[in-house]
Amino acid sequence: MLKMENRQRIAIVTGANKGIGLAISRKLSENGTLVVLTARDEVRGQAAVKKLQDVGVKDVVFHQLDISDPASITSLKEFVKINFGKLDILVNNAGVGGVELRSPTTLIEGDSESLFAAINETYEMSKDCIDINYYGTKAMCEAFIPLLHQSKSPRIVNVSATFGKLRFIPGDSIRKELQNIDNLVEERLEELMESFLVDCKEGRLKENGWPDRTFSAYKVSKNAVNAYTRILAKNYPKFIVNCVCPGFVKTDLTYNTGTLTAEEGAKGPVMLALLPDGSPSGQFYNQTEPTSFE
Ligand SMILES: NC(=O)c1ccc[n+]([C@@H]2O[C@H](COP(=O)([O-])OP(=O)(O)OC[C@H]3O[C@@H](n4cnc5c(N)ncnc54)[C@H](OP(=O)(O)O)[C@@H]3O)[C@@H](O)[C@H]2O)c1
């Protein structure tokens, strides 16, 4: 058993070896939370923990986690169950952009348009993006809901993006289905993700109402994360479940074109992870401010 203070909160942060996830882990730990910092790569994850410990951050332990690998999720679940018997905070931060850089030389710092113009996206990248950003997030929630039930103040924070807003889905019927949270169920959300991937493979994104360029799979995956967040909030009224755009952050995901530091990007997710009881659930935030799903 790992040593933990009585009544100390336990958090898992996914994709925490770098970028916003690493900054979230640091802030939560400095706040008195015991953080299970996870990364898909053992070496990169251990190095991240050492980096935090070297600057005096104590309450952080490492566990390997690839959110697209069910066996890896099960192994983490056993680790948390055996050592803590509960989970208080799940921060689903791990994500990919679903694109590759075509022309790095044209990137301009702080200019998202230069990034949009420099990328390329293939079916394989799109599939990876949906698998990791949506299905990985969902698999993590499903695996940890029983341990979150053991917490007095369960919190789930899904790190989403402004691209997850409904206005980035051009097709009226798809957008209305995602918007109609009272009727939307997880099975239908999965059917929509599968239709997107079929249309992506067959080159029919535009004609079938999907975003057809500039982070198309990313927009669809984050719309699905937002809808799933709302479904979870409805199904688990004792939990506080929210999603958040961290802002335009200088990390590998934006090829360092962002305007905010990782520490600034972590502010919204950390605020939501530490919300007091009775706070709103099923909401979308832009950094630390509530924003609309539209
Ligand atoms: N940066 C922005 O401007 C921005 C804006 C809106 C939303 N976001 C969201 O913020 C979150 C963090 O992104 P970031 O900007 O910090 O990007 P980042 O520096 O590229 O970090 C992404 C993290 O996710 C991990 N990851 C990817 N696939 C994974 C998998 N299958 N299992 C476990 N971990 C995995 C990466 O691990 P590896 O190192 O092994 O690849 C890395 O640790 C993402 O959800 C992103 O969509 C970022």
Side-chain angles (χ1 to χ4, degrees):
M1 282 277 270
L2 285 162
K3 215 175 124 202
M4 71 187 246
E5 300 285 327
N6 250 353
R7 289 182 286 142
Q8 187 172 26
R9 275 174 304 207
I10 310 297
I12 292 175
V13 183
T14 70
N17 51 293
K18 64 179 181 181
I20 301 165
L22 179 59
I24 295 171
S25 301
R26 178 174 182 162
K27 278 177 195 276
L28 283 179
S29 174
E30 286 173 345
N31 226 285
T33 302
L34 195 150
V35 175
V36 185
L37 181 157
T38 68
R40 57 180 164 181
D41 183 281
E42 182 106 27
V43 174
R44 289 198 290 267
Q46 294 279 18
V49 168
K50 186 168 182 313
K51 199 167 152 185
L52 294 185
Q53 287 170 342
D54 284 351
V55 293
V57 177
K58 283 195 206 86
D59 286 341
V60 57
V61 295
F62 173 72
H63 199 280
Q64 192 276 343
L65 173 70
D66 181 336
I67 63 166
S68 56
D69 175 1
S72 169
I73 295 179
T74 302
S75 163
L76 175 67
K77 187 173 152 183
E78 284 309 302
F79 173 82
V80 175
K81 195 169 155 188
I82 290 166
N83 283 290
F84 312 118
K86 66 156 185 178
L87 179 68
D88 300 290
I89 300 166
L90 172 60
V91 183
N92 287 306
N93 164 79
V96 292
V99 300
E100 68 183 0
L101 203 52
R102 204 167 13 87
S103 52
T105 51
T106 57
L107 288 178
I108 301 166
E109 203 179 309
D111 178 0
S112 52
E113 292 302 325
S114 77
L115 173 60
F116 303 160
I119 54 155
N120 182 41
E121 36 204 318
T122 64
Y123 170 75
E124 285 68 30
M125 291 169 205
S126 298
K127 177 153 182 6
D128 224 35
C129 185
I130 300 289
D131 281 350
I132 294 173
N133 294 4
Y134 173 60
Y135 287 112
T137 296
K138 182 171 187 271
M140 281 300 291
C141 292
E142 284 174 351
F144 284 94
I145 280 169
L147 283 166
L148 285 159
H149 270 301
Q150 302 307 313
S151 165
K152 289 197 180 77
S153 317
R155 307 284 180 262
I156 299 177
V157 181
N158 292 328
V159 181
S160 183
T162 297
F163 272 160
K165 289 201 174 216
L166 289 156
R167 64 170 181 261
F168 290 102
I169 303 291
D172 282 346
S173 68
I174 303 169
R175 196 174 57 250
K176 281 184 182 145
E177 277 203 76
L178 290 171
Q179 200 168 31
N180 189 353
I181 287 303
D182 290 341
N183 290 335
L184 186 64
V185 291
E186 288 173 38
E187 292 73 17
R188 181 61 190 147
L189 201 45
E190 286 195 17
E191 282 172 13
L192 287 169
M193 292 307 101
E194 296 317 306
S195 314
F196 166 76
L197 287 175
V198 169
D199 288 338
C200 181
K201 198 175 212 168
E202 296 177 355
R204 291 196 313 242
L205 288 179
K206 192 171 185 180
E207 68 182 273
N208 285 340
W210 299 107
D212 67 328
R213 69 174 93 100
T214 319
F215 289 94
S216 54
Y218 188 73
K219 287 171 179 163
V220 172
S221 72
K222 295 297 190 182
N223 259 279
V225 165
N226 283 7
Y228 181 60
T229 302
R230 300 171 91 182
I231 293 173
L232 278 180
K234 203 173 63 175
N235 292 349
Y236 297 93
K238 290 190 177 147
F239 291 13
I240 296 182
V241 189
N242 290 297
C243 47
V244 56
C245 173
F248 185 36
V249 185
K250 213 176 183 15
T251 63
D252 288 348
L253 191 130
T254 58
Y255 299 97
N256 289 302
T257 54
T259 49
L260 302 176
T261 64
E263 289 66 33
E264 289 166 330
K267 279 185 188 161
V270 169
M271 181 197 84
L272 296 177
L274 300 175
L275 280 180
D277 291 343
S279 298
S281 185
Q283 306 300 308
F284 189 24
Y285 288 77
N286 181 16
Q287 302 179 63
T288 55
E289 296 299 321
T291 188
S292 101
F293 282 98
E294 308 291 320

